[in-house]
Amino acid sequence: MTVLVTGATGKVGSQVLAELGRRDVEARAASRSSCPPFDWQNPHGWEEALLGIDKVFIVLPGGDDGHRSVRGLGDGAVRFLDVLERSSVKRVVLMTALGMEHAPETVDQRRLELRVQASSLDWTIVRPNWFHQNVTEGPLQDIAAAGAGTLRLPVAQAAVSFVDTRDIAAVVTEALIVDGHAGNEYALTGPDSLTFHELAALTAGTGIGVESYEAVSDSEFKRFALELSWDAEYIDTLLGLFSTIANGYAASTTTDVADVLGRSARTFADFAGVGAVRSQ
Ligand SMILES: NC(=O)c1ccc[n+]([C@@H]2O[C@H](COP(=O)([O-])OP(=O)(O)OC[C@H]3O[C@@H](n4cnc5c(N)ncnc54)[C@H](OP(=O)(O)O)[C@@H]3O)[C@@H](O)[C@H]2O)c1
């Protein structure tokens, strides 16, 4: 069995590759920097990347690498499904984001979900909440670093049930290599929720880089992010996500990680190394 892992250098794809390796499953990395290169905007490398592949993990970039808008990549990914259906691939696991089932079809990731569900392949969709690793590898890290350790976001008291990319990767791997997940949609969260004030209290003094938290207005956040040369469309996407958090939609927890893995999901305290840390 060989698995093609898209987004292979990213926060989740890299963990999926690691987890497949731990489980002795052959995997091939796919991204613009892989060999051969794989680009959602350029179908030329796709058939070569799929030679000898049985299963595929699909994730579209969110724009965190480079803080740029990635709108439009979904069209390429939808076309990739046509190629997949003509290939040796039998199973696909797609990762989008929590709540994506409520998004309109004009949203790339929702259009891709619907295309996957309409395909002839065995499919599983995982929709994770915000990652723990956003504070070490993602946009929250960059905001905190630019604020000398103070994370400033347009969210006051609302909580988020953050989830660990290692748990997401473990669920993705299970769905790829074990039978019984076809047709399932998983909403992946951590076991508890915390506000950004609580998050900062846990990370302060750990060396993670977030020492304190301050809620700001949308316009203050936008001004700050523009000063960091972030793309305006990417900032607007983030503001939409923060508004979802502020309205309480990212707070609830599910048991899907535990149900699939047979163990509890990592807490943010586990991730920050201030609780009972589980082994990798
Ligand atoms: N951050 C969160 O909290 C969160 C929560 C829920 C869902 N999500 C979803 O997670 C996804 C992003 O995953 P991630 O955070 O693991 O990614 P990431 O760390 O931002 O990495 C992006 C990956 O995509 C590749 N890539 C970028 N542009 C590409 C292109 N044109 N063609 C092919 N590959 C390309 C990059 O590699 P190369 O540069 O080598 O191409 C890299 O491997 C998004 O769909 C987002 O909606 C994120």
Side-chain angles (χ1 to χ4, degrees):
M1 179 200 318
T2 308
V3 180
L4 185 77
V5 177
T6 67
T9 57
K11 293 185 280 302
V12 175
S14 60
Q15 293 297 334
V16 172
L17 277 178
E19 184 66 21
L20 287 167
R22 275 193 284 275
R23 297 181 69 161
D24 289 327
V25 177
E26 254 189 71
R28 183 178 303 158
S31 77
R32 292 167 305 176
S33 52
S34 61
C35 187
F38 180 96
D39 189 335
W40 292 117
Q41 291 178 300
N42 180 3
H44 289 301
W46 295 352
E47 293 199 11
E48 187 181 353
L50 287 170
L51 285 177
I53 295 291
D54 312 288
K55 300 177 178 182
V56 178
F57 170 59
I58 297 182
V59 58
L60 286 178
D64 295 349
D65 52 337
H67 308 298
R68 72 210 149 86
S69 169
V70 286
R71 255 177 233 164
L73 292 190
D75 292 337
V78 164
R79 278 200 298 279
F80 181 64
L81 258 290
D82 299 338
V83 179
L84 272 191
E85 286 188 301
R86 295 195 301 269
S87 75
S88 52
V89 171
K90 298 280 175 278
R91 185 177 297 183
V92 61
V93 176
L94 168 66
M95 186 187 97
T96 59
L98 194 72
M100 190 54 67
E101 67 276 25
H102 305 301
E105 269 185 61
T106 46
V107 173
D108 282 343
Q109 302 213 47
R110 180 59 184 153
R111 208 158 58 252
L112 182 56
E113 285 188 350
L114 293 170
R115 177 65 185 89
V116 163
Q117 289 175 318
S119 76
S120 54
L121 305 163
D122 276 359
W123 58 263
T124 306
I125 296 176
V126 301
R127 300 188 183 104
N129 204 352
W130 281 63
F131 309 155
H132 291 162
Q133 281 75 6
N134 283 327
V135 296
T136 49
E137 303 169 47
L140 304 189
Q141 178 203 28
D142 301 325
I143 291 280
T150 299
L151 180 62
R152 291 188 178 89
L153 302 176
V155 178
Q157 287 303 328
V160 181
S161 54
F162 292 95
V163 61
D164 200 287
T165 56
R166 293 165 296 179
D167 288 342
I168 301 168
V171 170
V172 166
T173 300
E174 199 71 15
L176 284 166
I177 70 176
V178 177
D179 290 338
H181 299 283
N184 289 356
E185 299 166 55
Y186 296 121
L188 306 183
T189 75
D192 52 14
S193 310
L194 67 166
T195 64
F196 284 105
H197 286 286
E198 290 166 338
L199 175 151
L202 286 170
T203 52
T206 61
I208 279 179
V210 178
E211 295 297 321
S212 60
Y213 181 71
E214 191 183 315
V216 295
S217 66
D218 278 13
S219 54
E220 282 171 299
F221 176 81
K222 189 163 188 167
R223 188 171 38 77
F224 189 58
L226 283 171
E227 278 169 17
L228 298 176
S229 303
W230 291 11
D231 176 272
E233 206 170 87
Y234 173 73
I235 298 170
D236 285 344
T237 302
L238 282 181
L239 286 173
L241 296 174
F242 291 132
S243 138
T244 305
I245 294 178
N247 288 320
Y249 295 120
S252 57
T253 59
T254 71
T255 60
D256 287 8
V257 170
D259 293 345
V260 173
L261 301 181
R263 63 154 174 86
S264 51
R266 290 171 169 88
T267 64
F268 191 86
D270 292 338
F271 161 76
V274 292
V277 184
R278 286 193 192 90
S279 65
Q280 309 245 334

